[in-house]
Amino acid sequence: MARPFHAEDRFSSRELAVAAELTPRNVSLLIEQGLAPPAAEGEGGRGGHRSYDGVGLGAIALLGAFHKAGMELLVAARLAGVMAEDYRHTKGRLPSNLQTYLQRPLNPTPGHQPWDRCLPQFDLDDDYWLHDRLRFHTEIYQPWTALRGDMVVEIVDQTYVLTRWHDLEIGVFSPVSKAMPASPEYRITGRGSEARIAAIHEGLKSFDFSVDRESADALREQEGAYLHAHQNAVTRLRINVGLAIRNSLDRLADDRAGRRKAA
């Protein structure tokens, strides 16, 4: 039976493996374990018949970056899954930072799209199509290059997960502490299939810190523990999330171009 047709902005499980620099066997294992990104809405299926959207591509790109940095595959999948789901609820998707190309100094005409206006319109929040326009229809796109403002994840001693911004020395806001050099996010406990990812605010009774002093003190204590570990790290993994997502889009574009040429 022939594989079902996928729209250009939908991706097969094989393409997820290419984008994230994972083996097809690894992706199959993730699907079996329920740790792969969810299929695009209305497009679930078995194995290679699943179809994924740009949100799923971003999640698998982060997973692949964690694994490439040395994390166990299942631990990487659990952490990437939690982060992708949190960002899906608050921001719609993990941050690729492609929007930076629409602003100065990268965009020579800020306020205007840097590609031909005759091209079809699309949602600028759609990473796949924004990458397509920038890479194939402008001269400003810089593949394989970190950008100022990329979100960076730092994992300290395989336990503490913090975020910060590449090439930006700005303090991170906390409702209970002074500005911090990095934002404490998650804690990893256990390894392999037993790994668990806990958000820093897990267990707090309230987020109304001006009233609930007990919760404010508990969060402040947690933040202090994260920052102490960060400053006194024996090991520290650094993952550029935005670059990982853009690189995955570049690998996917190269793979599709190669397959079209070979057809």
Side-chain angles (χ1 to χ4, degrees):
M1 180 182 294
R3 286 192 174 190
F5 174 76
H6 289 162
E8 190 172 345
D9 58 359
R10 293 293 184 267
F11 321 109
S12 68
S13 57
R14 187 200 72 82
E15 289 181 318
L16 289 193
V18 169
E21 294 186 296
L22 296 170
T23 66
R25 184 174 181 178
N26 280 345
V27 174
S28 295
L29 174 63
L30 294 171
I31 292 172
E32 291 171 6
Q33 295 289 321
L35 294 173
E41 186 175 352
E43 300 193 35
R46 296 182 59 190
H49 289 193
R50 296 184 181 213
S51 176
Y52 301 87
D53 58 16
V55 174
L57 186 71
I60 200 79
L62 180 58
L63 192 167
F66 285 153
H67 189 49
K68 186 175 183 179
M71 293 184 70
E72 299 173 55
L73 180 66
L74 298 184
V75 180
R78 292 185 189 282
L79 178 57
V82 168
M83 292 189 66
E85 184 66 8
D86 285 350
Y87 269 81
R88 186 181 71 80
H89 282 298
T90 58
K91 305 290 186 181
R93 69 201 189 290
L94 288 164
S96 68
N97 205 22
L98 282 166
Q99 296 277 347
T100 294
Y101 283 104
L102 304 181
Q103 306 162 10
R104 290 187 185 275
L106 296 176
N107 184 2
T109 57
H112 300 278
Q113 298 169 353
W115 50 81
D116 194 321
R117 297 180 185 178
C118 294
L119 291 169
Q121 296 296 309
F122 66 95
D123 183 353
L124 292 176
D125 287 331
D126 188 317
D127 284 341
Y128 176 80
W129 287 112
L130 180 53
H131 172 268
D132 175 86
R133 292 293 188 271
L134 290 167
R135 173 164 169 166
F136 296 110
H137 300 282
T138 77
E139 296 181 356
I140 65 175
Y141 183 68
Q142 302 170 28
W144 323 111
T145 302
L147 297 177
R148 193 166 191 256
D150 282 343
M151 187 176 85
V152 170
V153 174
E154 293 185 340
I155 303 172
V156 173
D157 295 337
Q158 302 183 59
T159 301
Y160 297 94
V161 182
L162 304 95
T163 59
R164 62 195 311 168
W165 307 101
H166 175 68
D167 198 27
L168 283 177
E169 297 300 327
I170 55 175
V172 175
F173 171 78
S174 164
V176 299
S177 305
K178 297 179 180 179
M180 301 178 293
S183 177
E185 303 284 357
Y186 308 95
R187 185 168 183 166
I188 305 170
T189 57
R191 295 292 177 262
S193 60
E194 302 299 319
R196 182 175 179 276
I197 313 300
I200 187 173
H201 54 71
E202 187 172 306
L204 295 179
K205 296 179 180 179
S206 168
F207 294 111
D208 189 352
F209 300 116
S210 61
V211 175
D212 186 349
R213 304 310 303 171
E214 181 181 347
S215 291
D217 291 342
L219 179 58
R220 190 178 299 109
E221 182 178 354
Q222 284 269 51
E223 290 176 345
Y226 276 66
L227 294 177
H228 180 269
H230 186 259
Q231 294 165 2
N232 298 279
V234 175
T235 65
R236 187 185 297 175
L237 297 182
R238 183 184 187 278
I239 298 92
N240 185 318
V241 178
L243 183 58
I245 295 173
R246 297 193 300 275
N247 284 358
S248 74
L249 288 163
D250 284 320
R251 282 189 290 269
L252 178 63
D254 290 343
D255 178 72
R256 287 183 167 182
R259 289 168 67 84
R260 284 194 296 267
K261 187 175 180 181

